Amino acid sequence: MITVKNLKKQFGDNVVLDGIDVHVDQGEVLAIIGPSGSGKSTFLRCLNLLEKPDEGLIQIADTKVDVKKMNAKEMHQLRQKTAMVFQHYNLFKNKTALENVTESLIIAKKMKRQEAEDIGKELLVKVGLKDQFYQYPVTLSGGQQQRVGIARALAVKPRAILFDEPTSALDPEWVSEVLQVIKDIAQLKTTMIIVTHEMQFAEEVADRVIFMADGSIVEQNNPKEMFNRPQSPRTQQFLNKIGTGELND
Amino acid sequence: MNLNLDFDYLIHVIPHLLPFIPLTLILAFVSMIFAVIGGLILALIKRSDIPVIKQLATVYISFFRAIPTLVQLFLIYYGLPQIFPALSGMTAITAAIIGLSLKQSAYLAEIFRAALGSVDKGQVEACLSVGMTKIQAFRRITLPQATRNALPATGNIFILLIKETSLAFTLGVVELFAQGKILAAASLRFFETYLALALIYWIMIIIYTFLQQALEKRLEKPYLS
C-alpha cells in the first residue's frame, strides 16, 4: 500500500530524515511516536510532498515516484492518494463546515454541487456535526474544527489518511471526541498513519507503532510489545519520561 | 454681520459642475482597475523568489511611491513624447490614467502583499493535501481572505485617487475641478465655486464610504463568532 525507501530530508545542515524505510499494509493503522524534533511530522509531510524530500522513493497505491526526478504531474498524482489532518486543523476560514468538506470535490474533482453536498453532509453526520453544516470555523470549538478537518480528508476518498498530531493543539476537553472519531475510522480498516503524543491512544488504535528519534526509525513493534517491553534504550528512556509526565514540547 | 457670501450663486453653480462628475469618476475607476491589477502582479512578484524581476518590482515600488503625482503626470504627458515621438498622440486623459495607475499600483502592491501574507499557509497546505492545485488554492482560499484583509486600506487608496484626479486639470483635462476653476474665473465668485466643489467631493466620498462599509460587512460575515 505505502512503501517508502531511503527517504532523506535536510533543512540546511540539519538532517531531519536520515534514510527512512517504511512499509504500510492496506488497512493498517501505523502510529509514529517520538520526541519533538525527531522528524516524525516532517516524515508525514514528505509523504504528501508538503515538504519536498531530498531523495528517496515513495509508492502509494499504484503511484510510485522517485522524489529526485518527479515532475509536477507525478507530485499531484501522489498527493491525491492521501489526505491529511493537521495539528492546527487548517480549515478554510472563509468557508462553512460543509463547504470545507465539499470544496475539493467541487473544485478539484469537478463534482456537481448537489452530489458533493450529499457526500459532505453524510460525512459531517458521521463525525457528529449534523447541526453545524452552515457554521463558519470561527464559531466552532477546537474539537469540532478538527472533526470538520477529518471529514474534509475523508471526502476525497484517500487511499490513506495522514494524521499530524491531530489532538496536540486541542484543549483537553475536546481530545477524547476527536480520538473517538479517529478510532471509528480505524475500525473501517482505513489505512492510516498517525503521528501522535497520545500513547494510550496509540496503544489502543494502532496495529503497529514506530518510535523515531533524530531522523531515524529506532524501533518498531506491535503496540503491546512496544509499550510494555521496549527494546532500545532510547525508546525506554522516552517512554519513561512520558510515564512521569516530563514530556513537553 | 455682512458676510460676502452669495448663497444663490453657490446653489446656482452646482448644476454646472455636476455634468463633470462622470469624467472624474471614470478617471478614478479606470485608474483604480489598472492599479489593482498592477498592484496584485507586483505583490505576487514580491512574494515570489524570481531573481531580477523581484528586484525590479522593488525599484518600481520605491520610485513611484517617492515622486510627487504632479511630477509624474508631467513626466508622462510632457516628457515622454520628447523621448518617444510616437507617444505625442497620447491624450491628456490617457496620460492621467497611466500616471495615476502607476502610482497607486505601487501603494497597492504593499497593501496586497501584507494582505496575502496574513492568510496562513496552513490553509494552502490543506488545499494541496486534498488534491487541489496551487492556483485553485489561491483563487478559492487565499485571495478571498486577502481581499477582506486588504479592503479597508484599498478603499483609502481609492478615496485618494478620486481626489487626485483633480490633478489631471494640469494636463488640460476638463474634469470636475477644471470646470470649477473655469466657472470661478468667469464669475469671480471663488469661494462659492470652490466650496461647491468641496461639497461635491465630500458627498462622493461619503457615498463611496457607505458602499465600502456595506461590502466590508458582507465580507466580514464568516469571521464573526
Side-chain angles (χ1 to χ4, degrees):
Chain A
M1 178 59 197
I2 299 179
T3 305
V4 176
K5 285 200 179 114
N6 195 31
L7 196 69
K8 289 188 178 170
K9 173 74 184 172
Q10 244 173 291
F11 291 117
D13 290 337
N14 183 15
V15 179
V16 187
L17 296 177
D18 194 9
I20 302 284
D21 295 287
V22 172
H23 178 82
V24 186
D25 285 326
Q26 172 74 42
E28 189 181 9
V29 177
L30 174 68
I32 304 178
I33 60 171
S36 295
S38 58
K40 53 197 195 307
S41 278
T42 304
F43 170 67
L44 209 62
R45 291 168 57 80
C46 281
L47 281 183
N48 65 0
L49 306 174
L50 288 180
E51 297 298 345
K52 196 173 172 293
D54 298 328
E55 63 173 283
L57 295 169
I58 302 174
Q59 179 175 10
I60 302 175
D62 54 356
T63 302
K64 188 175 184 177
V65 301
D66 179 340
V67 299
K68 262 187 164 167
K69 297 179 207 149
M70 68 185 164
N71 55 38
K73 197 177 150 218
E74 286 176 324
M75 262 177 100
H76 194 64
Q77 271 178 358
L78 190 75
R79 259 190 201 135
Q80 286 186 318
K81 298 287 187 267
T82 59
M84 191 145 183
V85 174
F86 297 87
Q87 183 177 359
H88 297 285
Y89 338 127
N90 295 0
L91 294 190
F92 310 138
K93 293 200 176 73
N94 57 331
K95 306 274 175 196
T96 62
L98 183 58
E99 287 166 344
N100 263 276
V101 182
T102 59
E103 182 71 11
S104 64
L105 299 178
I106 295 169
I107 300 303
K109 300 207 165 184
K110 312 291 178 204
M111 201 180 271
K112 291 221 170 59
R113 178 169 298 273
Q114 191 54 51
E115 198 185 339
E117 286 189 357
D118 289 345
I119 294 172
K121 285 177 184 173
E122 193 189 319
L123 287 170
L124 285 175
V125 170
K126 204 173 178 178
V127 297
L129 294 172
K130 67 176 168 55
D131 297 323
Q132 280 81 22
F133 292 170
Y134 304 108
Q135 279 181 234
Y136 285 97
V138 72
T139 67
L140 299 171
S141 72
Q144 289 172 329
Q145 290 193 51
Q146 191 57 299
R147 285 185 282 153
V148 174
I150 293 170
R152 175 174 69 183
L154 287 170
V156 294
K157 292 207 168 65
R159 301 300 300 270
I161 304 181
L162 315 173
F163 291 88
D164 186 10
E165 304 193 26
T167 58
S168 298
L170 289 172
D171 288 335
E173 54 185 315
W174 309 121
V175 170
S176 67
E177 65 181 42
V178 170
L179 293 183
Q180 189 55 51
V181 169
I182 299 175
K183 277 184 200 167
D184 292 345
I185 300 168
Q187 301 262 298
L188 304 171
K189 285 289 144 203
T190 313
T191 310
M192 308 201 295
I193 302 181
I194 308 171
V195 169
T196 185
H197 285 304
E198 300 279 341
M199 297 307 144
Q200 200 194 337
F201 169 69
E203 192 168 354
E204 285 167 20
V205 77
D207 298 311
R208 182 158 52 108
V209 180
I210 282 179
F211 173 72
M212 268 181 82
D214 303 326
S216 305
I217 294 176
V218 175
E219 185 171 351
Q220 51 183 313
N221 215 329
N222 66 58
K224 216 175 153 193
E225 288 294 315
M226 177 70 103
F227 289 111
N228 294 322
R229 278 176 292 279
Q231 301 299 309
S232 118
R234 194 71 217 272
T235 317
Q236 290 162 1
Q237 186 197 9
F238 174 74
L239 291 174
N240 279 337
K241 254 190 172 177
I242 298 180
T244 54
E246 279 175 37
L247 178 87
N248 243 321
D249 282 347
Chain B
M1 196 165 77
N2 185 14
L3 259 180
N4 187 16
L5 175 64
D6 187 342
F7 270 110
D8 289 342
Y9 184 79
L10 181 64
I11 304 298
H12 160 84
V13 78
I14 287 177
H16 295 279
L17 290 169
L18 293 180
F20 292 83
I21 290 179
L23 181 58
T24 286
L25 289 181
I26 286 170
L27 282 172
F29 269 122
V30 176
S31 305
M32 189 66 184
I33 288 167
F34 285 125
V36 166
I37 295 169
L40 191 56
I41 293 170
L42 286 167
L44 291 174
I45 291 173
K46 287 277 279 182
R47 276 167 61 82
S48 73
D49 292 315
I50 314 167
V52 185
I53 295 180
K54 188 174 173 175
Q55 279 76 35
L56 286 177
T58 307
V59 172
Y60 175 99
I61 292 169
S62 161
F63 181 70
F64 284 109
R65 276 162 60 112
I67 58 172
T69 312
L70 261 182
V71 174
Q72 199 174 321
L73 293 181
F74 277 42
L75 191 61
I76 290 168
Y77 189 56
Y78 299 115
L80 282 184
Q82 179 196 324
I83 310 292
F84 306 103
L87 292 176
S88 53
M90 178 167 52
T91 67
I93 290 181
T94 309
I97 288 173
I98 293 172
L100 294 173
S101 322
L102 290 177
K103 177 187 173 182
Q104 299 301 4
S105 66
Y107 279 93
L108 287 174
E110 293 295 339
I111 293 169
F112 292 169
R113 190 164 68 107
L116 290 168
S118 69
V119 181
D120 78 292
K121 261 176 61 193
Q123 294 184 53
V124 175
E125 292 189 344
C127 286
L128 297 178
S129 78
V130 289
M132 290 165 71
T133 63
K134 274 187 181 169
I135 293 171
Q136 288 169 338
F138 181 75
R139 193 166 52 84
R140 302 282 308 175
I141 305 301
T142 309
L143 193 57
Q145 292 181 57
T147 302
R148 171 226 178 199
N149 296 338
L151 191 59
T154 306
N156 281 340
I157 294 287
F158 186 62
I159 288 172
L160 284 176
L161 198 45
I162 291 177
K163 295 185 291 183
E164 285 202 322
T165 57
S166 61
L167 293 173
F169 99 92
T170 58
L171 307 186
V173 178
V174 183
E175 42 62 69
L176 192 54
F177 175 67
Q179 173 65 4
K181 237 173 103 58
I182 292 166
L183 291 173
S187 65
L188 299 179
R189 309 265 14 158
F190 294 103
F191 186 78
E192 291 83 350
T193 313
Y194 291 132
L195 182 60
L197 261 185
L199 292 175
I200 289 173
Y201 278 109
W202 190 17
I203 290 167
M204 286 198 297
I205 304 293
I206 287 175
I207 293 171
Y208 169 72
T209 306
F210 174 79
L211 292 174
Q212 184 183 325
Q213 278 168 353
L215 181 61
E216 273 175 29
K217 216 170 150 186
R218 235 190 62 176
L219 292 185
E220 214 43 49
K221 209 183 105 201
Y223 310 92
L224 303 173
S225 49

